[in-house]
Amino acid sequence: MSKLRRISCCVCNCKVRFDHRFNCSGCKAVNFCSELCLSRASDPNDVEYHSPTWCSKLERILLTSPEFISFPFSWSFETTSDMFDDIAYAKFLKKHGVLDQGLWKFETRNRADRGKDLHPFEDPYVLPVESVILRDDVKTASTPPMNWKEYYGVRGFSIDSPICILLQWPLTLYYVISHRVPIDYPDLVKNFADKSKLSIHIVGVEKEANILQVYEELSRLLPHLTFDLTFIGPSISSAADGKIFRFVRMTITLRKGSYHQISGLTDPDLVLGHNAGLPAYITWLKTIAHLEISRPPVFFTEYCWPAVEYTRDRFDGMNGTRISDGTTNPFRSPIRVSCPESEIPRLSNGILFHLVYRSDDHLELEPISSTSRIETVD
């Protein structure tokens, strides 16, 4: 079956059949179309991040992949396979009766103009049992759910339900508030505990602007709080700029533009960037410099471990701010995102990390070659 898969050469982007590929003999993580491209990969001036140092990092990361794509769901073996692609995903959603319905339609459609003509869906989740359950607040649990298995148990969902695909967004934010802030910004714990309302900025927004209703689950999980969320990103439609949406104990405001360009924003209690792609967009440099002024807790997610390592190479030490060690997000998506040039799996909201400001330098970060950076939360 794997012979039907096509890969992309990481040097020239040429597409070849999987059984005709040339794979790096060192890391086993990077694919090439020919011996020529494979030989070019040893030259760091030709292929970025495939020097001997990067080859060693990718080898270590690839060894952690089985744990990274491990989930409790009955169907996740299928959706994390290296054969899983857009066609397979559409078939998966159709099998579960949600293809192109409610908020699920944004799973298979590329919407470049985010938030345009946005309106709340009467039945955003489509799944009948889940739709009823998600209308109610979560009953107080003895311990907060810290992974998908615990969350499904608290909510009473069947392990066969695909609802986690939509809920990865609010559950990632919930995990940051309930678990990561106390660990990563301990000086702010009391400040958070004393608040009845949190102001949160979601930055670099893309897909999130089309699925605002899923964030209501955050207020269902934390019913003692109200939330003022501001979604900010250049991909947001001009027609949606400034629109305000109201949900249960929550308001969401859409703002078009890069974070550092938006005027009139009040200092937030927390900042989160989903699937940020920090190394890919130069505008993040100005955004991080802007955040260093007010210095709120700032978290980002990325699709995979190499993206976090690239981020460290680019941003570490800028004005004294550093990138923390990453941790596997227990509320990451169980849907594999195709990456034909690499064997390393990519999952939406896969890895979580935060900014370490200069005043936090007592939090020693280990050398980049350390294996301890690959931390998994079960």
Side-chain angles (χ1 to χ4, degrees), residues 144-148 150-151 167-184 192 200 217-218 221-222 227 270 272 274 299-301 326-332 349-353 375-378:
M146 287 293 105
N147 54 52
W148 283 125
E150 291 178 7
Y151 170 73
L167 295 180
Q168 60 171 296
W169 309 93
L171 266 293
T172 294
L173 181 51
Y174 164 78
Y175 179 67
V176 166
I177 294 169
S178 63
H179 189 67
R180 294 314 314 185
V181 167
I183 292 175
D184 300 325
F192 264 57
I200 301 173
E217 178 65 357
L218 180 64
L221 284 162
L222 299 169
F227 296 91
L270 175 68
L272 173 64
H274 292 286
F299 292 83
F300 296 102
T301 66
T327 180
T328 301
N329 177 13
F331 293 108
R332 63 197 179 278
N349 291 308
I351 311 298
L352 186 66
F353 58 98
E375 175 191 346
T376 300
V377 178
D378 294 326

Side-chain angles (χ1 to χ4, degrees), residues 290-302:
H290 181 77
L291 288 166
E292 287 177 324
I293 299 172
S294 57
R295 304 166 78 84
V298 179
F299 292 83
F300 296 102
T301 66
E302 290 288 0

Side-chain angles (χ1 to χ4, degrees), residues 288-320:
I288 291 179
H290 181 77
L291 288 166
E292 287 177 324
I293 299 172
S294 57
R295 304 166 78 84
V298 179
F299 292 83
F300 296 102
T301 66
E302 290 288 0
Y303 285 97
C304 58
W305 284 107
V308 178
E309 299 287 13
Y310 300 158
T311 300
R312 293 175 74 93
D313 273 11
R314 181 164 186 175
F315 290 91
D316 262 7
M318 187 184 73
N319 297 332

Side-chain angles (χ1 to χ4, degrees), residues 323-336:
I323 303 300
S324 76
D325 289 346
T327 180
T328 301
N329 177 13
F331 293 108
R332 63 197 179 278
S333 169
I335 303 299
R336 187 163 180 155

Side-chain angles (χ1 to χ4, degrees), residues 140-157:
T140 303
S142 55
T143 56
M146 287 293 105
N147 54 52
W148 283 125
K149 185 176 181 180
E150 291 178 7
Y151 170 73
Y152 267 48
V154 168
R155 270 309 206 177
F157 296 143

Side-chain angles (χ1 to χ4, degrees), residues 49-170:
Y49 300 135
H50 206 66
S51 63
T53 300
W54 268 98
C55 188
S56 176
K57 293 177 189 176
L58 294 177
E59 179 183 18
R60 173 172 54 86
I61 290 170
L62 187 62
L63 291 174
T64 70
S65 294
E67 192 168 11
F68 184 54
I69 60 175
S70 176
F71 293 91
F73 310 114
S74 59
W75 40 262
S76 55
F77 180 80
E78 171 192 355
T79 62
T80 57
S81 163
D82 59 9
M83 289 292 294
F84 196 74
D85 56 16
D86 291 345
I87 295 174
Y89 191 25
K91 291 180 179 178
F92 172 83
L93 294 176
K94 185 176 182 179
K95 180 172 67 176
H96 285 273
V98 296
L99 180 64
D100 287 337
Q101 298 185 58
L103 296 178
W104 296 95
K105 70 180 182 180
F106 299 110
E107 289 297 305
T108 54
R109 300 181 188 180
N110 181 23
R111 301 293 179 104
D113 208 15
R114 306 294 181 178
K116 186 177 182 180
D117 299 324
L118 181 66
H119 63 278
F121 291 88
E122 289 187 11
D123 186 11
Y125 299 111
V126 180
L127 301 165
V129 174
E130 291 83 342
S131 294
V132 172
I133 291 174
L134 290 167
R135 292 173 190 160
D136 297 326
D137 291 344
V138 173
K139 295 179 180 179
T140 303
S142 55
T143 56
M146 287 293 105
N147 54 52
W148 283 125
K149 185 176 181 180
E150 291 178 7
Y151 170 73
Y152 267 48
V154 168
R155 270 309 206 177
F157 296 143
S158 165
I159 209 67
D160 296 329
S161 173
I163 194 64
C164 58
I165 298 170
L166 293 180
L167 295 180
Q168 60 171 296
W169 309 93

Side-chain angles (χ1 to χ4, degrees), residues 152-326:
Y152 267 48
V154 168
R155 270 309 206 177
F157 296 143
S158 165
I159 209 67
D160 296 329
S161 173
I163 194 64
C164 58
I165 298 170
L166 293 180
L167 295 180
Q168 60 171 296
W169 309 93
L171 266 293
T172 294
L173 181 51
Y174 164 78
Y175 179 67
V176 166
I177 294 169
S178 63
H179 189 67
R180 294 314 314 185
V181 167
I183 292 175
D184 300 325
Y185 295 91
D187 294 342
L188 298 175
V189 172
K190 186 177 186 304
N191 184 40
F192 264 57
D194 291 341
K195 287 182 176 292
S196 60
K197 181 178 182 178
L198 290 181
S199 172
I200 301 173
H201 292 171
I202 309 296
V203 296
V205 166
E206 293 184 347
K207 179 179 180 178
E208 305 96 292
N210 282 328
I211 56 172
L212 302 181
Q213 284 174 278
V214 301
Y215 283 87
E216 191 173 58
E217 178 65 357
L218 180 64
S219 64
R220 298 297 192 186
L221 284 162
L222 299 169
H224 62 289
L225 292 171
T226 59
F227 296 91
D228 184 3
L229 306 186
T230 303
F231 283 44
I232 304 160
S235 296
I236 291 176
S237 166
S238 297
D241 187 21
K243 284 189 175 181
I244 300 175
F245 299 84
R246 291 177 172 82
F247 302 99
V248 175
R249 297 183 296 277
M250 176 181 291
T251 61
I252 298 179
T253 303
L254 301 183
R255 297 297 306 273
K256 179 178 176 61
S258 296
Y259 189 70
H260 58 275
Q261 297 174 326
I262 303 295
S263 60
L265 293 174
T266 57
D267 289 345
D269 297 306
L270 175 68
V271 175
L272 173 64
H274 292 286
N275 301 323
L278 266 62
Y281 302 99
I282 195 169
T283 52
W284 280 118
L285 289 167
K286 293 183 178 180
T287 289
I288 291 179
H290 181 77
L291 288 166
E292 287 177 324
I293 299 172
S294 57
R295 304 166 78 84
V298 179
F299 292 83
F300 296 102
T301 66
E302 290 288 0
Y303 285 97
C304 58
W305 284 107
V308 178
E309 299 287 13
Y310 300 158
T311 300
R312 293 175 74 93
D313 273 11
R314 181 164 186 175
F315 290 91
D316 262 7
M318 187 184 73
N319 297 332
T321 294
R322 295 188 288 174
I323 303 300
S324 76
D325 289 346

